[in-house]
């Protein structure tokens, strides 16, 4: 008896990941998303593994990793466990960039908060109705 493996339609994956159908097709075409299975009618069917991978891609994309680096990460992942040290280096470099982005945003947030405080101290704001 074969173990049950969940499969998802493209629409379900769109709902789950927030990626558009066009983005899913693009990621598959450029090799960022591995070979997606198809049913007997040729329609794409995604696995839990595909959905999990897309979650990682979403994280990397949302934190500013360029597609070229995401492709490199995908290639390394597919190549096997012997590439784990290189994957770690790639992710550590990206993590440092994310830390810099967060620090920059915190600095900018401070400027926004100082402007709010200035307005509150120097301008009479009518009470909200």
């Amino acid at each position: 008896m074969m173990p049950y493996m969940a499969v998802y339609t493209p629409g379900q994956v769109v709902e789950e990941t927030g990626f558009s159908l066009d983005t899913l097709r693009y990621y598959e075409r450029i090799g960022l998303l591995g070979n997606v299975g198809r049913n007997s009618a040729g329609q794409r069917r995604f696995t839990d593994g595909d959905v999990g991978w897309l979650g990682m891609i979403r994280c990397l994309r949302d934190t500013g990793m360029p597609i070229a680096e995401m492709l490199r990460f995908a290639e390394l992942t597919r190549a096997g466990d012997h590439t784990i040290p290189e994957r770690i280096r790639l992710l550590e470099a990206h993590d440092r960039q994310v830390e810099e982005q967060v620090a920059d945003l915190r600095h900018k947030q401070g400027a926004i908060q100082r402007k709010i405080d200035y307005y509150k101290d120097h301008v009479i704001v009518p009470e909200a109705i």
Side-chain angles (χ1 to χ4, degrees):
M1 183 173 169
M2 290 186 70
Y4 173 76
M5 185 168 75
V7 292
Y8 305 91
T9 66
Q12 290 170 316
V13 174
V14 164
E15 188 73 26
E16 179 70 26
T17 65
F19 288 122
S20 70
L21 283 173
D22 287 338
T23 298
L24 293 176
R25 287 186 200 108
Y26 173 68
Y27 285 173
E28 186 179 8
R29 187 168 32 89
I30 66 171
L32 192 53
L33 182 59
N35 292 328
V36 176
R38 308 247 177 188
N39 66 11
S40 59
Q43 299 164 323
R44 287 177 179 83
R45 291 298 179 254
F46 295 83
T47 65
D48 286 327
D50 295 327
V51 173
W53 176 252
L54 285 166
M56 185 71 220
I57 295 305
R58 165 64 73 188
C59 175
L60 296 174
R61 186 181 97 162
D62 288 353
T63 55
M65 181 179 275
I67 286 182
E69 287 183 35
M70 288 191 286
L71 283 168
R72 179 67 182 142
F73 182 67
E75 291 167 2
L76 291 169
T77 300
R78 288 187 198 110
D81 287 349
H82 69 281
T83 67
I84 288 175
E86 192 170 348
R87 284 184 258 168
I88 290 170
R89 285 190 296 275
L90 188 148
L91 291 173
E92 285 176 337
H94 182 63
D95 186 55
R96 284 189 297 275
Q97 291 174 339
V98 170
E99 285 292 334
E100 291 171 8
Q101 291 171 2
V102 169
D104 184 53
L105 286 172
R106 292 242 183 259
H107 176 75
K108 290 173 180 169
Q109 182 183 32
I112 292 167
Q113 290 170 344
R114 286 187 298 279
K115 185 57 77 175
I116 291 168
D117 290 341
Y118 170 81
Y119 287 141
K120 285 181 176 180
D121 290 343
H122 292 90
V123 176
I124 299 172
V125 179
E127 291 296 318
I129 299 175

